[in-house]
Amino acid sequence: MSSDLPGPDELAAAYAETRKASRVTPLLDAPGLAAQIGAAGLWVKAENLQRAGSFKLRGAWWRLACLSEAEKARGVVAYSSGNFAQGLAAAGREMGVPVTIVMPVDAPEMKRRATEGFGARVVLSEHGERPREEVASALAQKIAADQGLVLLHPFDDPRIVAGQAGAALEAMEQLGCAPDIVLCPVGGGGLMGGVALAVRAANPAAEIWAVEPAGYDGMGRSLAEGARLKVDGGATLCDALQATMPGAAPFAAAQAAGVKGLTVNDAEVRQALRVAFETLKLVLEPSGAVALAAVLAGKVQVTGRTVLVFATGGNIPFDRFAEILQAEQA
């Protein structure tokens, strides 16, 4: 394992620190769904109920906690399509760290408003036909250089990976054991990296799956090839999972932990949103539902095994949520 990867001691230290700010999110037992898919047990970690609506607060808090006092005073800048933006803005407000967020102009308005509501300055980026995350990243780098701000990456940072691991550590505390199978949504891979390191340390035999939307399976393809690859993207419901290449730090963590990748399509995501709402009483955004979608679609052999699924975000306007479910019925 790379020496740059956070070890168990850092994961534990990050978890101890982030617990000061994070909410203990429910670990939902879903016996009906477990019976439906043949699993011994199915548990859903409802990180959509985390403060600011996603797991992102965990990594953002630890990253800011690692800054020097001078860096905190200068302020930070990052790019995000919404969920990291909200988590970082919320953490910055509580820590007294000024936060600037570069957000693609077509990012959900609800996420932009919420980020501003936490006190962050939002700068919109116009990307045209270019990949929106790449354009937003370039603008964030320019702002950091011009204004002397500390540049933070939303996922490609070992400290972000360490902070996000708290979601898995907390879930295993609640479960009382390490699961046999874990499925986790992946955009750039920050959560996946942290989850993979935490779960692999607890259960060397666990299956760990990175779940991505079709067209944005950069992590899965990279793991299969043994090197980071860039993908082409395309249309997807999963607006928060549009990274075209996994981060170096998350990829190294996932590779070291023996993670494998799989994809889901929009129809499978719609079905997962409906099941989460009707069965688990959870409102998820499409990006937060991809791991559940993979389980429900039978993409992993779960017979007789204990399965942990991460539901990662719930930042979606009601009208959009209803529109997606109505399209699923059509």
Side-chain angles (χ1 to χ4, degrees):
M1 184 177 293
S2 168
S3 60
D4 292 334
L5 294 179
D9 289 346
E10 183 176 349
L11 299 188
Y15 183 39
E17 170 63 29
T18 58
R19 292 178 80 165
K20 299 174 183 177
S22 64
R23 176 180 296 152
V24 176
T25 56
L27 183 69
L28 302 178
D29 184 3
L33 294 181
Q36 178 182 316
I37 62 176
L42 174 63
W43 281 266
V44 177
K45 182 60 169 165
E47 283 289 286
N48 60 305
L49 299 178
Q50 186 54 261
R51 293 181 55 207
S54 84
F55 68 93
K56 297 284 192 176
L57 175 75
R58 297 179 187 269
W61 187 274
W62 178 241
R63 185 64 185 88
L64 292 185
C66 292
L67 294 175
S68 68
E69 292 306 313
E71 288 173 327
K72 290 177 182 178
R74 283 161 52 198
V76 301
V77 59
Y79 76 87
S80 169
S81 62
N83 284 345
F84 183 72
Q86 292 171 78
L88 183 61
R93 182 175 67 179
E94 292 197 22
M95 289 189 177
V97 178
V99 172
T100 297
I101 296 292
V102 177
M103 191 173 286
V105 69
D106 57 351
E109 182 182 357
M110 173 185 172
K111 294 183 178 183
R112 176 182 58 78
R113 292 200 311 267
T115 301
E116 292 172 335
F118 284 120
R121 176 173 68 110
V122 173
V123 178
L124 299 179
S125 60
E126 296 274 0
H127 54 85
E129 297 300 316
R130 298 169 60 195
R132 66 181 197 166
E133 306 295 343
E134 294 178 13
V135 174
S137 175
L139 181 54
Q141 292 177 53
K142 184 177 186 303
I143 291 173
D146 292 347
Q147 301 178 21
L149 305 181
V150 179
L151 179 66
L152 303 186
H153 198 285
F155 54 83
D156 196 5
D157 185 321
R159 287 158 291 191
I160 293 290
V161 169
Q164 311 298 29
L169 294 172
E170 185 174 282
M172 289 188 290
E173 283 182 357
Q174 293 168 308
L175 189 59
C177 66
D180 299 319
I181 299 174
V182 177
L183 297 99
C184 181
V186 175
L191 177 65
M192 180 77 266
V195 165
L197 293 176
V199 172
R200 181 59 69 225
N203 181 6
E207 287 184 25
I208 308 174
W209 294 91
V211 186
E212 298 169 290
Y216 290 93
D217 54 339
M219 180 66 83
R221 292 191 192 184
S222 297
L223 290 169
E225 292 295 325
R228 288 197 303 148
L229 301 177
K230 186 176 179 180
V231 295
D232 295 331
T236 177
L237 286 175
C238 304
D239 65 271
L241 303 182
Q242 294 188 66
T244 56
M245 179 184 287
F251 173 70
Q255 187 177 45
V259 176
K260 298 178 181 179
L262 54 83
T263 64
V264 292
N265 60 36
D266 281 357
E268 291 161 342
V269 171
R270 287 190 179 96
Q271 175 64 11
L273 292 177
R274 178 174 294 279
V275 170
F277 180 72
E278 294 181 347
T279 304
L280 302 174
K281 314 309 174 188
L282 293 179
V283 174
L284 300 178
E285 60 186 289
S287 300
V290 296
L292 181 61
V295 169
L296 296 176
K299 302 208 170 185
V300 177
Q301 175 55 254
V302 299
T303 304
R305 306 179 78 185
T306 299
V307 183
L308 172 62
V309 171
F310 285 87
T312 50
N315 292 314
I316 184 169
F318 172 78
D319 289 347
R320 178 59 177 154
F321 184 74
E323 177 188 359
I324 291 172
L325 293 191
Q326 288 167 353
E328 185 253 342
Q329 285 185 310

